[in-house]
Amino acid sequence: MKKLLYLIPAILLVTNLCKGQKTDSIKYAHGYLYYHIYGQGQPVIMLSGGPGNSCQQQEEVAQELGRQYRVILLEQRGTGISIPIPFDSTTINMLAALDDLNRLLDHLSLKKALFYGHSWGAMLAMNFAATYPQRVKGLVLICPGYYKFSQEFFTTHVNNLKARMGLSELEQFDSLGKKINTGQATAADSAAYNRIMRMSYVFDKTIIDSLLKKIDVAKSNTTMQQLMIKDLSRINYDLSKTLYRYKGPFQVIAARQDALAFYAYELKNIHPVAKLHWIQASGHFPMFEQRKPFYDTLFTVMKGM
């Protein structure tokens, strides 16, 4: 699972905050949990991907949804300035992440809310729904990640990425991956590796550089990333045995050309009530690559919830 740290999309905001119409924080035992509010109306808790993503990556979606909803974009613990003390396995784990969502709902005086999650954010939203189904009014999952950690899923994920690479990219990808895993990579090596990997997450390679400005909006926090992934392995993360507890609306927006699209199909198998909606000519980030079809679909499914 070691390579998984470099294969799951993860973007972290370090120095800049998202710019909601209101920014606030919640004090807890290990620091402050920050969040940003956009718009008014029915509350929607928005969870970025990663683990370790910056709230900035989904800020455009928060702004658009904020035209009709009250969107609460969370700086998840270990991202942005929501940095716990100590910053270790005692404060970064799945249980803590679930506690934070309960903490956020309580702070906002919400008994339940809609949850929007992209990639890792979808994983977290599903886990929260399985654990606290009474607090989730509906799930809107965008290109969801793993519903369980397994070697088969990991292998499929890697193979799908490599299937989208040419011979020269494959050779460079494997070579740079070895340097990264052995701690010998330079900053230039890591940047080259990231660019090759990102190419496999998008459909239109001709606009990769403009997409990277949005996808890699800020540097990744590998500490949070590593801690959370290790915890998911430790707890044998597997929602196939618990997701049935959630009975509410379950909407999935996936991209046809996403290397992770098979997760959506697998998810449908374990939770048949899930409704799949597909975006063509897009990879893992349809909100950037196919903006109009994405928002048309998003607002349509949201109206039914």
Side-chain angles (χ1 to χ4, degrees):
M1 291 289 183
K2 197 171 183 180
K3 286 185 179 179
L4 188 58
L5 302 179
Y6 304 99
L7 294 173
I8 295 180
I11 298 89
L12 173 69
L13 173 64
V14 177
T15 57
N16 297 314
L17 288 172
C18 293
K19 299 178 179 64
Q21 66 185 43
K22 175 184 177 183
T23 295
D24 207 340
S25 64
I26 307 167
K27 192 179 187 308
Y28 69 108
H30 299 287
Y32 291 86
L33 190 67
Y34 288 81
Y35 63 91
H36 312 272
I37 296 179
Y38 304 76
Q40 297 179 346
Q42 184 174 191
V44 180
I45 306 299
M46 181 169 287
L47 303 174
S48 309
N53 274 24
S54 162
C55 63
Q56 262 189 329
Q57 193 197 48
Q58 293 298 307
E59 185 172 27
E60 182 180 305
V61 183
Q63 291 170 341
E64 289 297 320
L65 278 182
R67 299 174 187 275
Q68 297 183 26
Y69 299 88
R70 180 189 180 202
V71 180
I72 300 96
L73 179 56
L74 178 66
E75 285 194 50
Q76 295 174 41
R77 188 189 300 206
T79 73
I81 56 175
S82 293
I83 304 299
I85 300 174
F87 194 2
D88 58 23
S89 61
T90 66
T91 59
I92 301 295
N93 52 67
M94 178 58 83
L95 180 59
L98 297 179
D99 285 345
D100 283 347
L101 294 180
N102 270 321
R103 184 174 288 113
L104 179 63
L105 290 176
D106 289 343
H107 178 76
L108 296 171
S109 299
L110 297 174
K111 291 184 178 180
K112 60 170 60 178
L114 295 175
F115 279 76
Y116 166 108
H118 174 249
S119 195
W120 149 257
M123 294 169 59
L124 178 55
M126 285 190 291
N127 205 350
F128 187 75
T131 309
Y132 302 101
Q134 73 281 6
R135 306 214 71 175
V136 179
K137 185 175 182 180
L139 289 175
V140 180
L141 310 181
I142 315 300
C143 298
Y146 296 53
Y147 69 78
K148 69 175 179 179
F149 262 28
S150 74
Q151 189 58 48
E152 181 183 359
F153 274 17
F154 175 66
T155 300
T156 303
H157 186 164
V158 175
N159 287 343
N160 282 356
L161 292 178
K162 289 187 172 184
R164 289 158 169 76
M165 298 177 189
L167 290 177
S168 61
E169 287 81 13
L170 273 172
E171 292 175 2
Q172 191 177 9
F173 183 76
D174 288 337
S175 175
L176 291 172
K178 290 177 182 178
K179 293 177 73 174
I180 289 173
N181 287 330
T182 56
Q184 299 175 0
T186 65
D189 290 334
S190 296
Y193 182 91
N194 181 69
R195 193 174 193 279
I196 294 171
M197 180 185 67
R198 292 301 189 198
M199 291 278 277
S200 294
Y201 280 108
V202 304
F203 170 74
D204 188 352
K205 316 301 183 189
T206 66
I207 58 172
I208 181 63
D209 291 320
S210 62
L211 289 176
L212 283 177
K213 291 178 181 179
K214 294 187 175 184
I215 296 171
D216 290 333
V217 66
K219 192 174 181 180
S220 180
N221 184 325
T222 57
T223 300
M224 187 277 187
Q225 204 176 59
Q226 291 171 9
L227 288 170
M228 185 59 77
I229 289 173
K230 286 179 181 178
D231 189 64
L232 293 175
S233 296
R234 180 186 66 82
I235 64 175
N236 295 317
Y237 170 79
D238 185 353
L239 297 181
S240 65
K241 302 173 184 177
T242 58
L243 195 53
Y244 73 90
R245 297 170 185 162
Y246 173 69
K247 310 292 186 183
F250 198 114
Q251 304 284 351
V252 179
I253 301 176
R256 290 288 189 189
Q257 286 70 46
D258 185 6
L260 280 65
F262 72 98
Y263 293 143
Y265 288 111
E266 294 281 351
L267 187 55
K268 178 72 172 177
N269 287 336
I270 70 159
H271 204 71
V273 300
K275 295 182 179 179
L276 305 186
H277 310 268
W278 294 98
I279 306 294
Q280 278 286 2
S282 178
H284 195 59
F285 300 89
M287 66 286 298
F288 304 141
E289 217 173 346
Q290 291 294 339
R291 194 176 188 281
K292 187 178 186 305
F294 171 76
Y295 284 111
D296 286 348
T297 304
L298 178 60
F299 277 103
T300 297
V301 302
M302 294 286 289
K303 285 179 182 177
M305 305 177 76

